[in-house]
Amino acid sequence: MRRPLAIADPTLRSAPSSRARAVGILPALTLLLAALAPTSILGSSPAELGLRFRFEPSAIKAGGFYTSVAIAPGASDTIILGGGNSGYHRSTDLGASFEARNRGHETLERSRIASLTFHPTRAGLVYGATGTRGRDGGVARSTDDGVTWEVLSTEPRFAGQNSVGIENLPEFPRSTGSLLAAHEDTIWAGTFQQGVMRSDDGGLTWQVIGLEGQFIRSLVQPPTDSERLYVALWEGGVQTTADALDDVVTFTPAAGAPATVEELAFVGDTLYAAAGTDGLYRLEGETWVALDEGVPSGASWSAITGIDTGEAHLLFAGCDACVDDASGERATVIRSTDSGASWHNVTRPENLDFDVIGSGERWVMADAVPNYMPGATDGLVSQLVAKPADDGAADRALVLWAGRGGLWRSTDSGTTWAPAVNGLSEAGSLGLAVDPADHRRIFQGAGHFGLQASTDAFQTVHIDPLRSVAPLAEHTHPAANRTAFDTTTTPSTVIIAAGDRERKRVGGVYLNADPFSSTEWIDLGYTQDVPKSQPTSIAVGHDARGQRIIVAAAHPRGGLVRKVGDGPWERVEGTDALTMESSDKSDMLWIPGTSVIFFYDLAQGIYRSVDAGVSWERIWAHPSGVLGTGALAGVDSGTVYVAAADGLHRLDGADTGSVEGGEVAVTRIGGEQRVADAHLDDAGDLWAVVHPDASEPTKVLQVLEPQSAEPTIYRYTDELLANTMIVPETLLVTADGTVLVGGLRSGTLRGTFTPATPSP
């Protein structure tokens, strides 16, 4: 007989997995099922039991880089927010709550939003500019206020990410802010390095109309002149044209414009410019007038916006390299109430509230990464937008700014600000892991923000940004790529393979006796013994004498390395794993109570060691080349489960021989492709998370009796999972039955079974 869900005696525990991901059973679900179905439930599906699988955001709200924000015109309360990795988020309550809307965007490049704009006259029509360093991406369109999106064309290309590796450009800035303009069926785009492009058929086809090969920083159109465009170039001043609709378009330099303009914005018929370290400007006739009264000297101004109050222009400017104001407070956003004649800092401590709008709790990021907050050293603004109050009151305008760490909102014309991040989830998820000795303790790498830890399945979270870990503290994107445990201590000692995911040669291995009570990490000497190779996976075990052994994969081109006790890290000889073609993700599985370790190099295949990592043999030449896929699961050396680009597999007889030699048998489980991660729960059920494609959303698989010839498979998804997880990367089932799914730059979601119809 078959079970629909993982149900068993909640007091039972199987041997912990080497990846420290084996979990308890599902006692809460057992009680729920007992209440719903007092008779036998064996063989029934969740749907037959009146259950649904529902996801909700974790406690981690936002935290990544948001590049663009757009407010719907007219009386609408809709806001669309674009992330540098997390795609589109939509709010219908002026930012009190958001929901991801990324269904249909199957590539990470399409989720890197550089710019957003609403059509000025057609209700519900929104355009998005996407791409990575001028590659992939394109122009997308929504006709329903951002609920659904379609890619119109991949010809125009943008940069919703940093410009790493682009000649003549620094790593930052990205191409963000105002890059799209629309009039009737015509759309203009300021691309990353293709110049200015135009579409005359609503975005389906495009042509270059000028400035070919230039890096475009901003493109705007006067509200009353559809023939004119102003275009800011990287270190090339401002160009303008008065024949933007003609077959032949001629651009000419705007005389006297500042050399480096990051953002242009019209307030009424007046053009303003945020001009990097040159400062802030207003165009009067043909003269660019510097607006410097009260503007902190030395800042690099990246964003500007405003509204016409009737008596003057209410203006806001933000920076990407901010400095202190005259009183010593860091000025992230400054305000002018007199059309730019004078400015003052509105991100001083008295202007800031760190409680999340819409939920009321203190924002966890405010304490985890305070330097990313407004008024702090690394606060950064990528775009500012404003909308007058419905009654036109000058002191109640809505102002939003997107940047590093999230979205901030003011409803009193910039006097006070609070984080509008309710429903956002942009922190990365790198390797969920549960302590095998205490199933309440769960850890994951947090992308830019170090290590996350939770004892309640991420309903609440503790974040350690790894500030005490040298050399990671010297870099901007420290992350715990993988977590392993030494269970001979109480609590288990936590060991992380950490690094800077933006800089592949920065990383190390560090130890903490209890990250819940301490932020002090011990450097285990990896950086000295294995320089310039980042550890992408680790496994921890012991030899016959009880000495701790750590095995790590060193990328790039570092092979496998091993540390016994307090000895040095030593390279493992005789393996061709981890070539330059290898991914910066790998996976390692140490079978508990044995000397058997499995390692998945996603470029080369699966390797096995039977002597605690001293020697290795490839047992299956099976690459997994799709970003985010590739993982191992298992609790005994004879049966190993493999998540890969071509599906979910079971290896029988994995403890001897190889697939190619005929000793290891491969069985495909289900028909899914692009499987990101797999996990065995304590009841013996196999779980997996599957990437979306053009026809199917992201989904979770539950495989009952996965060792049988014909296992039963249940498939779960919901709207939040489908709209959030563009590149799911990791999965874990907790002791209380919560299914955690983490995505590459998409954060973590919590999945639970609930009654399909709420109880009265």
Side-chain angles (χ1 to χ4, degrees):
M1 299 183 72
R2 295 175 298 180
R3 296 163 296 127
L5 304 164
I7 303 169
D9 183 345
T11 64
L12 296 179
R13 291 288 184 270
S14 64
S17 83
S18 61
R19 292 181 70 192
R21 302 199 312 173
V23 299
I25 319 301
L26 312 183
L29 182 57
T30 304
L31 296 175
L32 174 60
L33 291 173
L36 292 171
T39 58
S40 174
I41 59 174
L42 297 176
S44 301
S45 72
E48 292 169 336
L49 295 169
L51 296 176
R52 66 172 180 167
F53 200 50
R54 177 181 177 273
F55 279 90
E56 62 183 18
S58 73
I60 310 150
K61 293 179 169 61
F65 199 117
Y66 291 88
T67 54
S68 186
V69 60
I71 305 174
S76 173
D77 289 342
T78 299
I79 295 169
I80 309 296
L81 177 65
N85 294 287
S86 59
Y88 303 98
H89 288 78
R90 179 176 185 263
S91 172
T92 57
D93 50 18
L94 294 179
S97 62
F98 280 90
E99 58 181 359
R101 304 302 308 185
N102 291 313
R103 177 72 190 277
H105 287 256
E106 291 80 36
T107 67
L108 190 61
E109 288 75 18
R110 293 178 182 176
S111 70
R112 289 172 171 164
I113 314 301
S115 187
L116 293 163
T117 190
F118 280 88
H119 195 285
T121 59
R122 296 180 179 175
L125 182 55
V126 198
Y127 296 103
T130 72
T132 302
R133 299 188 291 276
R135 302 195 303 266
D136 304 310
V139 173
R141 175 181 68 185
S142 173
T143 59
D144 52 14
D145 263 338
V147 176
T148 59
W149 293 85
E150 60 178 332
V151 177
L152 293 174
S153 174
T154 58
E155 291 183 51
R157 294 183 293 277
F158 307 89
Q161 262 285 358
N162 289 350
S163 50
V164 179
I166 304 297
E167 188 176 358
N168 299 323
L169 282 184
E171 177 180 327
F172 188 86
R174 314 175 186 204
S175 56
T176 63
S178 301
L179 296 169
L180 298 170
H183 173 74
E184 301 297 340
D185 290 330
T186 301
I187 311 169
W188 294 268
T191 67
F192 182 59
Q193 62 184 104
Q194 298 164 282
V196 177
M197 300 184 74
R198 187 181 72 198
S199 172
D200 296 320
D201 55 10
L204 298 177
T205 61
W206 293 80
Q207 61 179 325
V208 177
I209 62 170
L211 305 175
E212 187 170 4
Q214 296 290 331
F215 296 95
I216 308 301
R217 301 303 300 151
S218 187
L219 178 150
V220 294
Q221 187 174 58
T224 56
D225 186 355
S226 58
E227 293 279 356
R228 183 169 290 278
L229 290 176
Y230 289 87
V231 181
L233 311 182
W234 171 254
E235 294 187 339
V238 175
Q239 297 270 334
T240 184
T241 181
D243 47 22
L245 290 169
D246 292 355
D247 291 338
V248 178
V249 179
T250 302
F251 285 91
T252 58
T260 301
V261 172
E262 291 295 312
E263 183 80 282
L264 295 166
F266 273 97
V267 179
D269 291 322
T270 302
L271 182 61
Y272 292 90
T277 54
D278 288 341
L280 306 173
Y281 289 82
R282 179 177 64 234
L283 182 59
E284 296 180 1
E286 297 184 0
T287 302
W288 293 85
V289 178
L291 310 173
D292 51 17
E293 178 64 34
V295 177
S297 176
S300 178
W301 299 98
S302 55
I304 193 165
T305 194
I307 60 173
D308 189 343
T309 65
E311 297 180 357
H313 292 166
L314 175 64
L315 303 175
F316 301 88
C319 46
D320 64 40
C322 305
V323 298
D324 291 350
D325 62 17
S327 65
E329 299 287 355
R330 188 61 54 102
T332 308
V333 175
I334 59 176
R335 179 178 65 181
S336 171
T337 59
D338 52 13
S339 304
S342 62
W343 298 81
H344 64 277
N345 181 6
V346 290
T347 49
R348 297 169 61 86
E350 60 266 27
N351 300 113
L352 304 175
D353 178 359
F354 293 101
D355 290 343
V356 175
I357 295 167
S359 67
E361 84 272 28
R362 183 175 173 84
W363 191 22
V364 63
M365 291 295 179
D367 299 314
V369 283
N371 54 307
Y372 280 9
M373 297 298 107
T377 55
D378 297 321
L380 181 155
V381 180
S382 58
Q383 189 170 26
L384 272 156
V385 295
K387 185 176 182 178
D390 291 341
D391 60 2
D395 61 346
R396 290 200 299 275
L398 172 69
V399 192
L400 305 170
W401 67 264
R404 178 179 287 151
L407 179 73
W408 288 79
R409 187 186 83 172
S410 173
T411 56
D412 54 12
S413 299
T415 301
T416 59
W417 302 84
V421 297
N422 190 25
L424 303 181
S425 185
E426 223 262 35
S429 175
L430 308 175
L432 284 160
V434 61
D435 184 347
D438 184 346
H439 293 174
R440 298 168 301 171
R441 296 161 64 92
I442 302 170
F443 301 84
Q444 76 171 351
H448 297 359
F449 308 111
L451 181 70
Q452 300 165 351
S454 177
T455 58
D456 56 11
F458 283 89
Q459 292 184 82
T460 60
V461 65
H462 164 71
I463 301 178
D464 182 351
L466 304 180
R467 292 192 191 93
S468 67
V469 181
L472 294 187
E474 302 169 10
H475 295 270
T476 58
H477 305 95
N481 297 325
R482 292 286 177 174
T483 307
F485 304 89
D486 181 346
T487 58
T488 62
T489 64
T490 302
S492 297
T493 297
V494 175
I495 301 169
I496 60 172
D500 185 328
R501 202 161 189 177
E502 302 294 327
R503 297 165 178 82
K504 307 301 184 187
R505 294 181 180 273
V506 175
V509 178
Y510 305 91
L511 176 152
N512 191 325
D514 183 11
F516 283 95
S517 60
S518 172
T519 59
E520 294 303 315
W521 293 83
I522 297 172
D523 187 341
L524 296 182
Y526 180 95
T527 54
Q528 290 78 32
D529 298 332
V530 196
K532 296 184 178 180
S533 292
Q534 188 172 119
T536 60
S537 60
I538 55 173
V540 176
H542 293 81
D543 63 15
R545 294 179 298 170
Q547 284 194 106
R548 182 172 61 216
I549 300 174
I550 307 173
V551 180
H555 180 77
R557 204 164 52 184
L560 298 174
V561 296
R562 187 170 179 266
K563 181 181 179 68
V564 179
D566 295 327
W569 291 90
E570 298 179 341
R571 295 182 185 273
V572 176
E573 302 298 332
T575 176
D576 59 350
L578 285 173
T579 66
M580 283 301 291
E581 290 73 35
S582 298
S583 165
D584 62 357
K585 174 188 176 185
S586 62
D587 202 14
M588 205 170 286
L589 174 69
W590 193 318
I591 302 301
T594 76
S595 297
V596 179
I597 313 172
F598 295 93
F599 169 65
Y600 199 173
D601 174 354
L602 303 185
Q604 303 295 312
I606 298 172
Y607 294 78
R608 179 189 61 231
S609 172
V610 297
D611 52 13
V614 174
S615 61
W616 294 81
E617 175 188 7
R618 185 162 63 180
I619 67 169
W620 193 19
H622 193 77
S624 186
V626 174
L627 180 70
T629 66
L632 303 172
V635 293
D636 67 73
S637 59
T639 302
V640 174
Y641 298 93
V642 180
D646 66 343
L648 184 62
H649 308 273
R650 184 181 72 235
L651 304 186
D652 293 311
D655 48 356
T656 60
S658 67
V659 171
E660 288 77 13
E663 298 89 354
V664 179
V666 180
T667 301
R668 176 83 178 272
I669 300 175
E672 280 75 16
Q673 303 272 341
R674 295 154 58 98
V675 183
D677 198 7
H679 166 69
L680 278 169
D681 69 18
D682 273 7
D685 289 345
L686 178 68
W687 297 76
V689 59
V690 181
H691 283 216
D693 59 27
S695 60
E696 294 285 337
T698 301
K699 56 188 170 183
V700 170
L701 308 183
Q702 183 190 19
V703 183
L704 308 186
E705 300 172 359
Q707 294 190 36
S708 66
E710 296 183 4
T712 299
I713 304 176
Y714 293 115
R715 296 168 172 85
Y716 310 118
T717 191
D718 76 345
E719 187 174 12
L720 183 63
L721 181 69
N723 277 308
T724 301
M725 288 296 163
I726 303 159
V727 183
E729 191 169 32
T730 186
L731 171 144
L732 185 147
V733 184
T734 71
D736 67 353
T738 302
V739 178
L740 298 175
V741 175
L744 182 63
R745 311 295 178 88
S746 296
T748 305
L749 297 178
R750 307 176 69 256
T752 56
F753 289 94
T754 61
T757 302
S759 301

